[in-house]
């Protein structure tokens, strides 16, 4: 199975049993709208932690019905984050979403050793992108979390994203480790890491996927470009997932896909015991909904 | 003046006096075709250094007329590179182009202290990109030369690209120093460098342009995104030039513009005493012509 469009994720999320989503500091208009919309589509059943007066006021502004029973009043964003995490710990919700609380405050609650949601894994950002100039969904990691991952962290970033795709129903996702060139060059760390990841795959240390790299973007997404360069690879021109060298390049690739490639995206944080939805103010309404649907589909 | 399309560069190159281009190891079909096409359009007057038999054979294969007087027989690629550089030194050509010789061999001849073409400056790659989802030409540097530039090198990369735009006729190009976020964070070097470059500009140490950064790609290319984030900047949403943190991110941005953004590009190496055209096998015919036109227009 591979995905051709993000609507397939929406369909999947609508078809399965409704999952509970807990929002930390839910008093943010766009987040509230997205969650209530997803709730109307039976994708999620929300629990809204935050400033209850503001939440009610916003719901009335955006003209969406709100069951007061799903609100837990907690005006402090810090406490709201801790309460949301606690609700997950108590198995009273299966997805965590960020509202009007800073990412660092929310993640502090998530990574707390005693009360948090870490599985011992590193947290990483995975984005699924649908764009006119590629023949299927392409996933990008990591565009938002890990600044300068070392090799061990890259292994985990790769595994987090492959797990996500497998959970979505992929069989053997094709993973391209991106670099500026195709040959390993000790001066270009991204090529060294890419070659090592490929080697780990060949040795059976990275499974459930095909890994190739170093590959430059042209050869990752264009069979024709790869052919011209004489590159023979199952991944070339047909990648399902791109592993970026670092935050600079991952973020640029992700935003370039949205703004230059007119792409649509669904993105979540993986690696905790539940998926975490962190949308930003600049995200489109559609993208927020896709991200929630992705979180409930895995 | 700003450029809206690469055709304006072609027009400019056709309008001015024809410049002489010397090709090192000209026995490469695509390069030969591009140069002879540019010659027919009176954009360049070529000098072809290389294996003369092969050059003649290729010209006949691609059915283009060839004046034998413009060929200098030199079958060794290394010597061909040195001869081409010498021709520039003797003021017998104003543009250098790479044929069937590796980039490293060609650049070795260029950076040779005694016989080369360095002006004391660092060499850097500048690409001018035209794409449907941006309202004017956007330049990217450095997508191909400098692997991990330090701060001093970034200043020079910025200046090389600004000089190129000024030479093309820009008045005050708007320069965005890209990073994953807008706030300076000591853990993210790209944000620190961006803030320092902006400060140098404000102090008058970088002139003939407006510099802003750190700016993420969304806010560099979309006024709407910048507005949503409350960013006030003359550069936001209207950049003429993007300075990438390193080769990884510059190369990804450049290739993403071409493959996801369906962009057209003109690219050269700047910083030597003459522009250097380095096209690659995967470049389109159009892009080769634009690159030659760019080299003669500055």
């Amino acid at each position: 199975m591979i995905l051709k469009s993000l609507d397939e994720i929406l369909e999947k999320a609508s078809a399965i049993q409704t999952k509970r989503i807990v929002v930390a500091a839910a008093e943010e208009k766009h987040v509230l709208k997205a969650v209530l919309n997803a709730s109307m589509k039976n994708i999620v059943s929300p629990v809204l932690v935050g400033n209850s007066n503001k939440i009610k006021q916003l719901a009335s502004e955006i003209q969406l019905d709100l069951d007061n029973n799903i609100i837990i009043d907690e005006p402090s964003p810090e406490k709201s984050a801790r309460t949301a995490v606690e609700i997950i710990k108590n198995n009273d919700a299966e997805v965590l979403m960020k509202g009007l609380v800073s990412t660092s405050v929310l993640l502090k609650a998530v990574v707390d050793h005693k009360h948090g949601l870490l599985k011992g894994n590193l947290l990483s950002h995975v984005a699924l992108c649908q764009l006119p100039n590629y023949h299927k969904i392409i996933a990008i990691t990591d565009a938002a979390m890990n600044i300068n991952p070392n090799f061990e962290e890259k292994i985990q970033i790769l595994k987090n994203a492959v797990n996500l795709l497998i959970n979505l129903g992929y069989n053997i996702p094709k993973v391209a480790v991106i670099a500026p060139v195709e040959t390993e060059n000790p001066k270009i760390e991204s090529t060294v890491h890419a070659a090592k990841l490929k080697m780990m795959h060949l040795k059976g240390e990275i499974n459930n996927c095909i890994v190739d790299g170093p590959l430059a973007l042209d050869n990752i997404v264009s069979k024709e470009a790869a052919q011209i360069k004489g590159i023979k690879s199952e991944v070339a021109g047909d990648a399902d997932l791109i592993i970026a060298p670092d935050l600079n390049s991952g973020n640029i690739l992700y935003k370039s896909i949205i703004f230059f490639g007119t792409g649509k995206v669904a993105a979540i944080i993986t690696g905790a015991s539940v998926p975490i939805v962190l949308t930003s103010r600049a995200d489109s309404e559609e993208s927020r909904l896709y991200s929630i649907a992705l979180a409930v589909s895995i």
Side-chain angles (χ1 to χ4, degrees), chain A residues 28 30-31 98-100 278-285 288:
Chain A
E28 204 283 324
H30 297 105
V31 169
K98 175 179 106 92
L100 200 65
L278 297 185
T279 59
S280 85
R281 272 207 283 174
D283 287 336
S284 70
E285 204 169 304
R288 283 175 232 268

Side-chain angles (χ1 to χ4, degrees), chain A residues 105-289:
Chain A
V105 166
L106 180 65
L107 292 183
K108 202 179 156 196
V110 170
V111 302
D112 186 281
H113 280 292
K114 200 166 163 193
H115 304 289
L117 306 174
L118 273 196
K119 296 188 295 180
N121 291 345
L122 160 137
L123 297 181
S124 58
H125 183 268
V126 183
L128 268 60
C129 310
Q130 172 189 335
L131 73 174
N133 290 301
Y134 196 60
H135 57 285
K136 58 180 173 178
I137 294 292
I138 190 150
I140 309 292
T141 190
D142 175 330
M145 282 285 298
N146 293 282
I147 296 171
N148 212 0
N150 62 28
F151 184 67
E152 294 304 315
E153 289 165 338
K154 276 191 194 168
I155 298 170
Q156 197 53 53
I157 287 171
L158 186 156
K159 287 183 174 176
N160 278 356
V162 167
N163 285 344
L164 181 151
L165 294 176
I166 298 288
N167 286 339
L168 269 177
Y170 281 70
N171 305 319
I172 304 282
K174 296 180 179 177
V175 183
V177 190
I178 198 168
V181 291
E182 276 73 30
T183 41
E184 194 179 341
N185 176 345
K187 289 180 189 161
I188 307 177
E189 193 189 43
S190 56
T191 66
V192 178
H193 283 181
K196 281 169 77 177
L197 287 170
K198 180 182 182 172
M199 188 52 70
M200 284 185 73
H201 164 64
L202 293 175
K203 284 185 184 166
E205 292 161 15
I206 293 176
N207 300 307
N208 304 319
C209 59
I210 305 173
V211 180
D212 202 0
L215 285 169
L217 185 61
D218 46 348
N219 303 313
I220 291 174
V221 299
S222 162
K223 280 213 165 108
E224 202 190 334
Q227 215 162 21
I228 291 173
K229 282 225 176 149
I231 293 165
K232 279 177 188 157
S233 157
E234 272 189 275
V235 175
D238 197 39
D240 295 305
L241 168 64
I242 297 178
I243 311 295
D246 53 21
L247 182 63
N248 282 325
S249 47
N251 192 267
I252 287 174
L253 179 57
Y254 175 62
K255 287 175 175 162
S256 174
I257 283 174
I258 298 173
F259 285 88
F260 290 143
T262 64
K264 299 175 177 188
V265 293
I268 59 166
I269 303 290
T270 57
S273 62
V274 297
I276 304 169
V277 183
L278 297 185
T279 59
S280 85
R281 272 207 283 174
D283 287 336
S284 70
E285 204 169 304
E286 197 179 28
S287 164
R288 283 175 232 268
L289 182 62

